[in-house]
């Protein structure tokens, strides 16, 4: 069975928000045909508030957490790159699926280090279109997306 590595900037379990549910469903569907390794940051802003929700892991999916458990690690997480490189060396996945733009740095770094292609699966265009961010943050987000999109497969 071929392997796919899915990278998320934070732990998506339990799936309590739109993005978490989306990633959970993508991983669940991919796990029917592939061995899926969900490489995720250990930060979750919802864990404490949702501790009463039972967490049921998806059968056949390997969950790998990477420290540090800090909000800033969503954008720059050396732990994701370090653990991802070890996984890629050992398993040689077919592709890296990057969930959420914020973990794009890890996917881009792993692509540069290993040559494994990556797919950017989500963009934050709605934040720019609906004015949900400051002009400077909007400009930075747009530049970040362009860099990731131009290097994705």
């Amino acid at each position: 069975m071929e392997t796919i590595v899915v990278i998320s900037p934070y732990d998506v379990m339990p799936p309590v928000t739109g993005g978490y549910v989306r990633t959970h469903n993508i991983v669940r569907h991919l796990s029917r045909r592939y061995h899926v390794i969900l490489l995720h940051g250990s930060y979750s802003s919802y864990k404490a508030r949702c501790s009463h929700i039972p967490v049921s892991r998806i059968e056949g999916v390997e969950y790998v957490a990477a420290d540090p458990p800090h909000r800033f690690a969503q954008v720059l997480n050396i732990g994701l790159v370090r653990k991802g490189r070890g996984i890629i060396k050992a398993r040689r996945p077919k592709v890296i699926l990057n969930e959420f733009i914020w973990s794009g740095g890890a996917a881009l770094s792993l692509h540069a280090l290993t040559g494994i292609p990556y797919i950017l699966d989500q963009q934050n265009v709605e934040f720019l279109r609906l004015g949900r961010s400051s002009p400077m943050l909007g400009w930075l987000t747009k530049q970040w997306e362009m860099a990731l999109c131009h290097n994705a497969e």
Side-chain angles (χ1 to χ4, degrees), residues 101 104-105 108 111 118 120 123 139-153:
I101 189 174
L108 186 60
H111 171 66
Y118 78 93
L120 176 62
Q123 297 179 335
W139 181 83
L140 286 171
T141 301
K142 186 175 180 180
Q143 300 307 308
W144 184 237
E145 285 181 343
M146 283 184 358
L148 292 173
C149 288
H150 286 293
N151 289 291
E153 298 295 319

Side-chain angles (χ1 to χ4, degrees), residues 22-92:
R22 183 177 167 284
T23 300
H24 177 80
N25 286 332
I26 287 171
V27 168
R28 184 169 48 89
H29 286 289
L30 287 173
S31 69
R32 294 176 184 162
R33 299 184 78 184
Y34 302 95
H35 173 71
V36 178
I37 300 170
L38 178 59
L39 175 61
H40 61 84
S42 52
Y43 172 78
S44 175
S45 60
Y46 297 99
K47 255 198 200 328
R49 294 184 295 201
C50 300
S51 59
H52 63 284
I53 298 173
V55 175
S56 59
R57 302 285 187 187
I58 302 166
E59 190 174 325
V61 174
E62 189 177 334
Y63 294 83
V64 179
D67 284 333
H70 189 273
R71 185 174 184 90
F72 182 70
Q74 290 181 72
V75 178
L76 181 62
N77 190 336
I78 302 303
L80 279 177
V81 176
R82 193 174 296 137
K83 284 199 174 181
R85 189 171 183 203
I87 289 167
I88 289 171
K89 276 184 166 183
R91 308 284 179 83
R92 292 306 293 176

